[in-house]
Amino acid sequence: MTADFRVAVVGLGWWGRTVAAALRGSDVVSVVLGADPSAAGRTAGEELGLRMANSLEEVLQAPDIDGVVLCTPHTAHAGQIVAAARAGKHVFCEKPLCTSGEEAEWALGEVAEHGVTLGVGHERRFEPPVVDLLRRVRAGEFGTPLVFEGAFSQDKFLGMDPGNWRLSPEVSPVGPLSATGVHLVDLSVALLGAPTQVWARMATLGSELPNGDTLTVTIGFESGATAVLTSVLATPFFGRAMLVGSSGWVEVRDRNHPEEPQGWDVVRKRRGAPAVTEFVPPHPAVRDNIEQWAKAALGGSPYPIPVEEMRWTVRTYEAVVRSVASGRVESP
């Protein structure tokens, strides 16, 4: 397939530049336009060889754009998704997709009404060992799912400009959640289904980050299963996903941050059989995710993350924020 799906990357900060670079050489997606209101963002786009626009509105008027990739602050996502859908542009939105269930209903409703395809930046789902984990769990290989344990921690924000929106208590009141924890929420939903209860606790223990550096979340699911998630912004990178079932378990450990993948170490254990250890080589999951969105928009296989799961993840995100503030168990 030739790279005939043309996109604009909106927001050329750290992650927007990472996404644009990841799509170089794609035979599905061409990044032909960038947009950023700041001089630094425009300079970054020009250095990547992109034609630049000053705003999303200008991007949506471009006739040679099939879709937009939103790498913008998440408080703007709902309105930007709606604007793109109304302009007939397919939308790929970085996580968190929205900040509340109400926003999600608005955005998802407009996407459905205008017949565009929506993707979301949960690249963990596109890592080969996680794809394999989901397949095995859904096939019942480990029996009834009992517990999902997830950890995704990093210290990339310690040297970040204090004025960055990612460190804003107003934009990101639970910093570890929007940084990495929401990926784990998404994985737990993919594995365990509909969430029913959320309890979360956040602290600032290992840094001076103004919106927290240590988050733990417990999620109860309709099935009776539980997820226990940890997200820390004050320790070197650590990534782990483990599913415990009634007849076995599987653990996936990351060797490096998804920005620069170095592969995964996987251990699987079933009752009555020896543990199996496997190394899975690196895979460009960020690019894979966007390419699968583009292929779905072009009429190929449906995008792998169902809309209902997007909705559950946003509702759980909102419940985590409420639980951190209240100290109580909250309902998604």
Side-chain angles (χ1 to χ4, degrees):
M1 180 182 293
T2 58
D4 53 3
F5 191 82
R6 299 156 299 178
V7 304
V9 175
V10 181
L12 286 162
W14 161 53
W15 195 250
R17 295 193 300 272
T18 298
V19 166
L23 291 171
R24 284 178 172 171
S26 171
D27 62 357
V28 179
V29 178
S30 295
V31 182
V32 299
L33 183 61
D36 197 289
S38 71
R42 289 194 294 272
T43 297
E46 290 166 358
E47 289 175 349
L48 287 164
L50 303 180
R51 188 173 95 242
M52 290 300 297
N54 293 316
S55 66
L56 175 64
E57 291 72 24
E58 187 177 335
V59 166
L60 296 180
Q61 294 172 10
D64 61 337
I65 296 300
D66 301 305
V68 296
V69 178
L70 300 176
C71 299
T72 53
H74 44 271
T75 49
H77 285 174
Q80 291 175 339
I81 292 168
V82 168
R86 289 176 177 175
K89 306 295 187 183
H90 302 285
V91 193
F92 183 93
C93 185
E94 264 307 319
K95 53 77 187 171
L97 182 69
C98 297
T99 62
S100 70
E102 182 178 3
E103 284 187 349
E105 292 305 323
W106 178 41
L108 293 172
E110 292 283 340
V111 164
E113 179 178 344
H114 295 282
V116 299
T117 299
L118 177 64
V120 62
H122 286 304
E123 67 272 356
R124 309 310 304 262
R125 286 229 203 176
F126 296 81
E127 296 169 351
V130 174
V131 173
D132 185 66
L133 167 63
L134 288 166
R135 179 185 63 79
R136 291 174 185 271
V137 170
R138 289 166 181 167
E141 183 171 326
F142 303 104
T144 301
L146 307 176
V147 176
F148 172 66
E149 300 176 8
F152 186 2
S153 303
Q154 64 181 32
D155 55 7
K156 286 179 174 286
F157 289 8
L158 295 183
M160 189 170 281
D161 183 334
N164 191 289
W165 59 268
R166 291 178 176 84
L167 305 183
S168 165
E170 291 73 37
V171 176
S172 299
V174 181
L177 174 65
S178 52
T180 59
V182 70
H183 285 296
L184 301 175
V185 171
D186 171 70
L187 285 184
S188 67
V189 164
L191 287 161
L192 303 179
T196 57
Q197 296 174 298
V198 174
W199 182 77
R201 184 180 186 186
M202 185 177 74
T204 305
L205 299 174
S207 73
E208 296 182 357
L209 295 177
N211 54 349
D213 62 29
T214 303
L215 174 70
T216 55
V217 180
T218 302
I219 306 172
F221 290 83
E222 196 173 86
S223 67
T226 304
V228 182
L229 314 177
T230 304
S231 177
V232 179
L233 298 180
T235 196
F237 174 76
F238 178 70
R240 172 178 178 269
M242 183 174 188
L243 189 285
V244 180
S246 59
S247 60
W249 53 264
V250 58
E251 180 186 54
V252 178
R253 285 183 179 262
D254 304 73
R255 290 196 174 185
N256 201 44
H257 191 279
E259 183 180 8
E260 297 178 352
Q262 294 179 7
W264 300 266
D265 296 296
V266 181
V267 182
R268 293 187 294 272
K269 172 67 176 175
R270 296 178 63 188
R271 181 177 291 114
V276 176
T277 301
E278 176 186 14
F279 170 68
V280 179
H283 176 76
V286 172
R287 187 178 73 192
D288 190 356
N289 186 1
I290 296 173
E291 288 183 341
Q292 291 202 43
W293 160 70
K295 289 176 182 178
L298 289 168
S301 299
Y303 182 66
I305 304 179
V307 167
E308 187 64 15
E309 293 181 5
M310 295 183 191
R311 180 179 284 113
W312 286 339
T313 295
V314 172
R315 289 178 177 174
T316 305
Y317 174 96
E318 181 184 15
V320 170
V321 174
R322 284 191 275 109
S323 183
V324 165
S326 70
R328 300 189 297 267
V329 174
E330 300 283 350
S331 298

